Amino acid sequence: MKTRDRILTASLALFNEEGVSGLSAVDIAAALGISPGHLYYYFKGKAEIVSTLFTAYEAELALVLDGAAAAIAKPDADLTTMEIQLRILLEETHDMRFLFRETGALVAAFPDLAPRFRRVMSAQYGCVVDMLTALAARKKLKAKAKLIDALARQVVLGLSFKLLQLDLEGDAGAPRARVARAAGRLAATARRAVLAAFATTGLAP
Amino acid sequence: MKTRDRILTASLALFNEEGVSGLSAVDIAAALGISPGHLYYYFKGKAEIVSTLFTAYEAELALVLDGAAAAIAKPDADLTTMEIQLRILLEETHDMRFLFRETGALVAAFPDLAPRFRRVMSAQYGCVVDMLTALAARKKLKAKAKLIDALARQVVLGLSFKLLQLDLEGDAGAPRARVARAAGRLAATARRAVLAAFATTGLAP
């Protein structure tokens, strides 16, 4: 692995493990066994490392959102398809969990992250609205635009913070199991709301 | 104001403004124009200040949750009653917003906060379930236990992180207006889900 990639990989692991606030670029260099000068040759400091990791996250997310659009376009797509896509989106959050465990502090320290977080949430919102709208159009769920908007906003909130909430609730399971649990809970609101609507019409969901 | 209270008030303002990670007890003493020794006479350090502020938050929250229980018990309580109570709960989050802007980092730094966050979320969940259940029992909304559980989990997630999400979305309105907006959005999911159910039965919500 090239030194630049080693620095990014080690930084991500350290940030996810110990948080960003308490770590300096010098700490990262020490963990890698390289000199601070060597690290500064590749990155001007912690802000540039965080920004570069965020760029990688944006690229990953773009792929996952494209994948979700393709999955929901298939003729047999249903609520389970959406739950699987939410799980994949939550895997991305999990991989970059340092971003969501001290979000406010990070944005205060690195203000250029704010518009980038905004774009990420906006892209996720658009994707979730498209999934719900596609399912509604094919009678896989019964929801008008305003319900879809409200559900999508809740799901996007969950994509950022549901895993942190599970942490706080003391959910100590394996990461993959926790991601699956969070995705199930996010899909549950849509599913239950939909089932409630279906239950009153007698349509099979 | 007594020195101990002055320290707590100044600490809360500084934490909400600048975050916890970047501040030391010495910084807090400097902001107050007192010596670090003077501050240490009242608090052993930052952890004890954070813990004491959390205790005040717990006490406030207990009052608000009691108030919500009383409000929803009134015969004319409806979805608007719940929205008002959510707004009051979100005011509490806003007042203590430092806790939710770097939650993961705080819990890592001060592990005794984890079970306390858990109790707070659990109490909020119980309150929201009770409100939704009371409204359902009086036919103000149509939702079975599983939908109520899913909605309540989403609302509790929002009580912690919806204001942070609005920050990230660049919502720069006045604090009170932002709290009202967040409460409206939290209530919207329940309201829309409920309206969807009502729309199919023809009952007036």
Side-chain angles (χ1 to χ4, degrees):
Chain A
M1 201 189 282
K2 286 180 186 166
T3 302
R4 188 173 182 282
D5 291 334
R6 279 180 57 215
I7 294 169
L8 290 173
T9 303
S11 298
L12 178 58
L14 282 170
F15 290 163
N16 278 341
E17 195 67 34
E18 301 179 25
V20 179
S21 310
L23 285 169
S24 67
V26 173
D27 294 327
I28 296 166
L32 277 163
I34 64 177
S35 71
H38 196 173
L39 185 142
Y40 284 113
Y41 174 80
Y42 293 97
F43 296 99
K44 274 175 228 152
K46 196 165 72 170
E48 196 174 319
I49 296 176
V50 169
S51 179
T52 306
L53 289 172
F54 205 96
T55 303
Y57 171 57
E58 289 163 333
E60 275 287 312
L61 202 64
L63 290 177
V64 169
L65 294 176
D66 284 351
I72 213 72
K74 292 195 177 158
D76 59 345
D78 57 13
L79 272 167
T80 301
T81 311
M82 192 178 80
E83 185 171 338
I84 291 167
Q85 296 305 316
L86 292 180
R87 188 189 294 204
I88 296 170
L89 281 162
L90 277 163
E91 298 267 6
E92 297 301 321
T93 304
H94 176 75
D95 290 347
M96 303 292 288
R97 56 195 174 279
F98 79 90
L99 288 172
F100 303 97
R101 292 166 83 175
E102 47 184 318
T103 311
L106 281 177
V107 168
F110 311 121
D112 77 299
L113 289 184
R116 302 175 75 183
F117 266 113
R118 192 147 66 239
R119 279 196 294 275
V120 160
M121 290 190 303
S122 173
Q124 288 179 330
Y125 171 82
C127 175
V128 175
V129 166
D130 287 350
M131 286 199 285
L132 289 168
T133 305
L135 295 177
R138 280 195 250 131
K139 316 279 186 210
K140 300 286 185 182
L141 67 83
K142 186 178 172 65
K144 295 201 179 147
K146 282 191 166 179
L147 176 59
I148 287 175
D149 172 68
L151 291 173
R153 284 177 188 278
Q154 286 294 324
V155 169
V156 171
L157 184 69
L159 288 174
S160 296
F161 298 114
K162 195 79 196 175
L163 290 171
L164 176 57
Q165 191 188 31
L166 285 184
D167 281 343
L168 293 173
E169 286 176 358
D171 183 327
R176 289 292 155 277
R178 294 175 58 249
V179 166
R181 202 145 42 233
R185 288 207 192 159
L186 284 189
T189 309
R191 191 182 288 275
R192 299 296 175 210
V194 166
L195 286 176
F198 275 115
T200 57
T201 58
L203 290 172
Chain B
M1 199 188 282
K2 287 180 185 164
T3 303
R4 189 173 181 282
D5 292 335
R6 279 180 59 217
I7 294 169
L8 289 173
T9 303
S11 298
L12 177 57
L14 282 170
F15 291 162
N16 278 341
E17 196 66 34
E18 301 179 26
V20 178
S21 310
L23 286 169
S24 67
V26 174
D27 295 327
I28 296 166
L32 277 163
I34 65 177
S35 71
H38 197 173
L39 185 142
Y40 283 113
Y41 174 78
Y42 293 97
F43 295 99
K44 272 176 229 151
K46 196 166 71 170
E48 194 175 320
I49 296 176
V50 169
S51 179
T52 306
L53 289 171
F54 205 95
T55 302
Y57 171 57
E58 289 163 333
E60 274 288 311
L61 202 64
L63 289 177
V64 170
L65 293 176
D66 283 351
I72 213 72
K74 290 192 179 161
D76 59 345
D78 57 13
L79 273 167
T80 302
T81 311
M82 191 178 81
E83 185 171 338
I84 291 168
Q85 295 306 316
L86 293 179
R87 189 189 295 204
I88 296 170
L89 281 163
L90 277 162
E91 299 267 7
E92 298 301 322
T93 304
H94 177 75
D95 290 346
M96 303 292 289
R97 57 195 174 279
F98 80 89
L99 288 172
F100 304 97
R101 292 165 86 176
E102 47 185 317
T103 311
L106 281 177
V107 168
F110 312 121
D112 77 299
L113 289 184
R116 302 175 74 183
F117 266 114
R118 190 148 67 239
R119 278 195 294 272
V120 161
M121 289 190 302
S122 174
Q124 289 179 330
Y125 171 82
C127 175
V128 175
V129 166
D130 287 350
M131 287 199 284
L132 290 168
T133 304
L135 295 177
R138 280 194 251 131
K139 316 278 185 213
K140 300 287 184 182
L141 66 80
K142 187 178 172 67
K144 295 201 178 146
K146 281 191 167 179
L147 175 59
I148 286 175
D149 171 69
L151 291 173
R153 285 178 187 278
Q154 286 295 324
V155 168
V156 171
L157 184 69
L159 288 175
S160 297
F161 299 113
K162 195 79 196 175
L163 290 171
L164 176 58
Q165 190 187 33
L166 285 183
D167 281 344
L168 293 172
E169 286 176 358
D171 183 327
R176 288 294 155 276
R178 293 174 59 250
V179 167
R181 204 146 41 235
R185 288 207 192 158
L186 283 189
T189 308
R191 192 182 287 275
R192 299 295 176 210
V194 166
L195 286 176
F198 275 114
T200 58
T201 58
L203 291 172

